[in-house]
Each structure stands twice: as structure tokens, then as C-alpha cells.
Amino acid sequence: EDFAANWRLPHATTQTQTPLEHAARDAAAGDASGDWARAVAGYTRAIDLADCDTQAVTTLLANRSAARLQDGAAAAAAHDAALSLTARPADWRPRLRLARALGELGRQADAGREAAHVLRLSAVPAQASQEAAALLRRAAAEASSAPVA
């Protein structure tokens, strides 16, 4: 979800933007340019500024999770995704990001559970469903090759 593009004042100039809008737009610019450190910093500033707006914080956490995944910070990405899910448990975006992060952390069984949850949700785009199915297959393959205790 592109938080900055869907922000309340889409035509605001730099001079009329609130600090929150400015931070969100800076984060989105980092996303667009592949500057993940800039994106993470922008989302972090925006989260700090939006602390009373649960919907905004939830979206910002989900977006920061994606940026952290791109930046190679899987543990932090998993944390952000899990926090986002506390407010919107039926949102496929943070759920899929959590599955990705858990997989990157080597927690394939947990990644598989989250991926299976994504596949049970409605209105998940085909590409996201395909990725969730791949994560689920990877978890199943690892489980079948694990030594029996």
C-alpha cells in the first residue's frame, strides 16, 4: 500500500505539508528509488508523528516492514509486520511480509503457517497468492526432509 500516494493532501507542496506528510513522502521516495535506508528512516519518522492514528501507524508499519525486508533486516521486518497485524489481522500485505521475513530467518514452519493464512484470506492478488503458495511449498519441503527425532 502506497501510504504517501494515498495521503490526505495529495497536492500539497513541500511548503504546505505537515511533518507527517513530509516523512511519509520521503519514505515513499526512498521506496521508489530503492534507497531502503531512506525509506525505513522516513517510515520511522512518520510512525513517531502518527502515534495516535492507529490506521496510519498500521499502514506505516506494514510499509516499513517491506522496506526492511528489501534492506535485509528480516528480524525487524517480522517485528513490524507482526505489529501491523495486531490492528489488521485480515490484511494480506503484512501477513505475507511476515511469512517472507520468517522464511529469511530460517523459520520455515512459521513462514508456512503465515503463508497458509494468506491463502485463506479474500481479495489477495494473484501474484501475492503465488508467492504465499511458494513459501508454503518451501516449508512443506523442509518439513519432509527434516530428520525424525
Side-chain angles (χ1 to χ4, degrees):
E1 192 172 340
D2 184 354
F3 185 77
N6 296 317
W7 195 241
R8 291 179 181 88
L9 299 174
H11 303 293
T13 65
T14 304
Q15 292 79 20
T16 62
Q17 287 179 2
T18 67
L20 175 56
E21 290 167 331
H22 182 53
R25 288 180 192 278
D26 192 43
D31 277 340
S33 68
D35 184 348
W36 307 119
R38 178 181 178 188
V40 168
Y43 287 128
T44 300
R45 280 193 315 278
I47 289 164
D48 290 343
L49 293 165
D51 65 348
C52 293
D53 185 342
T54 303
Q55 183 175 346
V57 169
T58 301
T59 299
L60 290 162
L61 283 165
N63 289 351
R64 187 172 71 178
S65 176
R68 284 182 160 168
L69 273 170
Q70 291 292 332
D71 202 30
H79 182 260
D80 283 351
L83 285 174
S84 180
L85 286 168
T86 61
R88 289 196 315 226
D91 189 342
W92 66 268
R93 290 169 188 87
R95 178 95 40 205
L96 183 57
R97 290 168 189 156
L98 179 57
R100 283 182 202 149
L102 291 169
E104 288 184 23
L105 292 169
R107 295 174 51 190
Q108 297 304 326
D110 293 330
R113 277 191 289 281
E114 294 300 330
H117 195 123
V118 169
L119 293 172
R120 290 191 300 269
L121 296 171
S122 60
V124 178
Q127 184 176 1
S129 291
Q130 291 167 358
E131 184 178 352
L135 288 165
L136 187 56
R137 284 191 302 273
R138 188 175 307 130
E142 184 174 291
S144 68
S145 67
V148 178

